[in-house]
Amino acid sequence: MIFSYYPGCTLKTKAKSLDIYGKKSAEELGIFLEELPDWQCCGAVYPMAGDEIATRLSSVRALATARNLNRGLVTLCSACHNVLKRVNEDMKTNEYIRTRVNNYLEDDIQYNGETEVYHYLEMIRNVIGFENLKRKIKYPLKGKKIASYYGCLLLRPGKVMQFDNPENPSIMEDFIRAIGAEPVIYPFRNECCGGYITLENRRLAKEKCNTIVASAIEKGAEAIITACPLCMYNLEVNSTELKLPVYYFTELLAEALGVK
Amino acid sequence: MLVVEKVLAEDILRISGVNTRKCMKCGKCSASCPAFNEMDIHPHQFVSMIERGDIKKLIKSKSIWNCLSCMACVERCPKNVEPAKLIEAVRLAVIRQQGANHLKADKIPALVDERLPQQAIVSAFRKYSK
Ligand code: SF4
Ligand code: SF4
């Protein structure tokens, strides 16, 4: 099975292991992620204002290219996923935005939100299935206690993202179980790490990350997994009191599948 | 209300798409906000102040730079008011003015370290500059 794949700026630079192990693991699971031709950076944050048109164009171009290839579009980075999914919803439901964006676009890519956007984890859940994943695991991570860090971008706003229950998600825990490890539930798994605030008010990012890491440790976690390069940075660099190793979920997936 | 304030208030309502009158003033947005301690004006106050056209204080507020766009207030508001969209619209009202960028490119080298992902810089520019 082939999906179009949108890596985004950071997966080609600082977060190469999120990208490389994601692709390798998908292949092992019988899915080919074909990188979209000529993709551009999505901007990393969703433009909330209804009159922001130019900031939506790169996402729409990616969505329209996938549509023209007749493929679903898979993302890995939580931020790209949030932006692409929400812009796609705008193109489906907001006539003001749709008309203005299409006025900017080349004639052959008029776009109305046709593409299905999946996060890699949704692809595992909806297309492969956790039971099937479990069967393909060669080196289960037995006895490892792992905390999922969802953060904000995969989950909210729940109405648009439709990823999981935004207040009590389970997809990452199901993933952890499928690779043979033990999920650790802790109260801060869907609280913000601070995101870009690390550049504006580092103290706030540190406060958030120290709370998250301390909470995961208190519940017995030995490691944290994430799908977001900025969450990874914040949880590692801005946790200044207690520390836990932080991994991209694809690193552990590749390890368990024996393709790392 | 000054004429400029009135125009700004109308702009903010229009580009945010928020209907401030749906707010029932329960305060849940502010209670959910992870940046609460760093804000001088809190999310529920944005809603009522914009409704009153009290824009000047919001423009000077440090809250607009400390909002994390985490969408907790949007998710948890029982009336679907979406206060984060108001905060975004006020921030845009500021940075869309000529020369009013909050983050300037020459500040970046001092903020970057070896591990910082591109995503951080890209999103900060989207939030703080035009
Ligand atoms: S989006 Fe901003 S205002 Fe709303 S809860 Fe998050 S940090 Fe607070
Ligand atoms: S949560 Fe919603 S209804 Fe309650 S104060 Fe905030 S904006 Fe108003």
Side-chain angles (χ1 to χ4, degrees):
Chain A
M1 196 169 192
I2 306 178
F3 283 96
S4 282
Y5 166 54
Y6 181 91
C9 63
T10 305
L11 275 73
K12 291 291 171 186
T13 49
K14 297 276 171 182
K16 283 195 182 124
S17 51
L18 179 55
D19 170 69
I20 292 166
Y21 296 126
K23 283 189 294 204
K24 273 194 180 168
S25 303
E27 220 171 298
E28 185 67 17
L29 295 167
I31 287 179
F32 182 62
L33 296 179
E34 185 185 71
E35 191 169 319
L36 270 185
D38 303 325
W39 59 268
Q40 300 157 345
C41 172
C42 68
V45 282
Y46 169 74
M48 275 186 271
D51 66 344
E52 284 280 322
I53 302 301
T55 42
R56 284 177 164 87
L57 294 178
S58 59
S59 302
V60 176
R61 289 207 171 94
L63 292 160
T65 309
R67 191 265 326 264
N68 292 352
L69 292 166
N70 228 331
R71 292 201 179 123
L73 182 59
V74 170
T75 58
L76 253 176
C77 165
S78 311
C80 300
H81 184 66
N82 189 277
V83 176
L84 291 175
K85 184 103 185 184
R86 293 171 81 181
V87 169
N88 201 40
E89 182 73 9
D90 292 334
M91 295 302 284
K92 235 189 266 180
T93 60
N94 185 322
E95 207 191 319
Y96 180 95
I97 290 173
R98 182 171 54 231
T99 309
R100 277 154 189 81
V101 166
N102 276 325
N103 285 343
Y104 268 98
L105 294 176
E106 300 74 10
D107 285 342
D108 58 330
I109 54 172
Q110 295 295 302
Y111 184 71
N112 312 296
E114 295 93 343
T115 300
E116 292 289 338
V117 184
Y118 304 94
H119 186 263
Y120 193 104
L121 285 165
E122 294 177 301
M123 175 190 83
I124 295 182
R125 180 187 60 195
N126 305 358
V127 180
I128 298 165
F130 287 118
E131 278 309 312
N132 288 329
L133 171 60
K134 208 169 175 177
R135 276 194 280 272
K136 300 224 163 133
I137 296 300
K138 292 200 187 93
Y139 307 99
L141 305 173
K142 271 207 198 90
K144 268 252 170 227
K145 292 189 170 155
I146 300 172
S148 332
Y149 180 66
Y150 288 89
C152 318
L153 297 166
L154 291 173
L155 297 170
R156 295 190 287 269
K159 255 193 305 179
V160 180
M161 299 311 293
Q162 305 267 326
F163 180 79
D164 204 343
N165 178 338
E167 301 296 0
N168 191 17
S170 57
I171 182 169
M172 286 175 102
E173 284 75 17
D174 290 341
F175 167 78
I176 291 168
R177 267 183 224 107
I179 60 170
E182 192 185 313
V184 173
I185 309 271
Y186 64 111
F188 288 89
R189 64 202 170 119
N190 61 345
E191 285 288 320
C192 185
C193 67
Y196 53 78
I197 212 74
T198 185
L199 292 175
E200 164 72 14
N201 180 354
R202 189 144 210 167
R203 191 168 36 85
L204 178 54
K206 285 183 180 165
E207 193 191 303
K208 296 294 119 189
C209 293
N210 281 327
T211 311
I212 294 163
V213 173
S215 166
I217 290 175
E218 197 207 318
K219 297 290 177 194
E222 297 161 351
I224 299 181
I225 54 166
T226 176
C228 175
L230 187 47
C231 298
M232 160 78 90
Y233 173 85
N234 276 329
L235 291 175
E236 284 201 323
V237 179
N238 284 326
S239 61
T240 49
E241 291 160 6
L242 300 168
K243 291 273 183 196
L244 270 183
V246 188
Y247 301 106
Y248 292 122
F249 75 96
T250 54
E251 294 180 79
L252 299 193
L253 176 59
E255 202 180 312
L257 287 168
V259 295
K260 193 165 170 182
Chain B
M1 204 192 309
L2 296 167
V3 180
V4 243
E5 259 189 309
K6 193 160 181 277
V7 172
L8 271 178
E10 279 165 11
D11 270 2
I12 287 164
L13 285 173
R14 180 176 51 79
I15 71 171
S16 68
V18 168
N19 177 359
T20 51
R21 275 171 290 182
K22 288 198 292 191
C23 173
M24 61 177 186
K25 306 198 184 345
C26 65
K28 200 168 184 177
C29 48
S30 296
S32 291
C33 179
F36 184 93
N37 291 341
E38 301 294 319
M39 290 184 169
D40 47 354
I41 300 173
H42 296 111
H44 73 287
Q45 293 172 294
F46 271 75
V47 183
S48 52
M49 287 171 76
I50 287 166
E51 186 162 4
R52 288 200 306 272
D54 204 352
I55 308 296
K56 266 211 312 239
K57 277 186 221 136
L58 294 177
I59 283 175
K60 298 223 170 72
S61 155
K62 65 173 186 171
S63 306
I64 58 176
W65 314 119
N66 277 306
C67 166
L68 310 168
S69 308
C70 75
M71 302 295 123
C73 56
V74 170
E75 194 63 50
R76 293 173 193 157
C77 169
K79 291 287 186 183
N80 197 24
V81 175
E82 306 186 295
K85 291 190 173 172
L86 290 176
I87 299 176
E88 175 105 336
V90 176
R91 185 173 50 232
L92 284 173
V94 175
I95 62 173
R96 281 178 182 179
Q97 300 172 95
Q98 201 163 30
N101 281 342
H102 183 69
L103 179 66
K104 301 197 170 74
D106 58 2
K107 291 275 180 322
I108 291 291
L111 295 170
V112 172
D113 61 67
E114 177 57 20
R115 304 213 36 209
L116 190 80
Q118 280 66 18
Q119 178 196 354
I121 302 168
V122 174
S123 42
F125 269 116
R126 275 281 164 94
K127 285 288 158 180
Y128 299 133
S129 293
K130 268 292 157 196

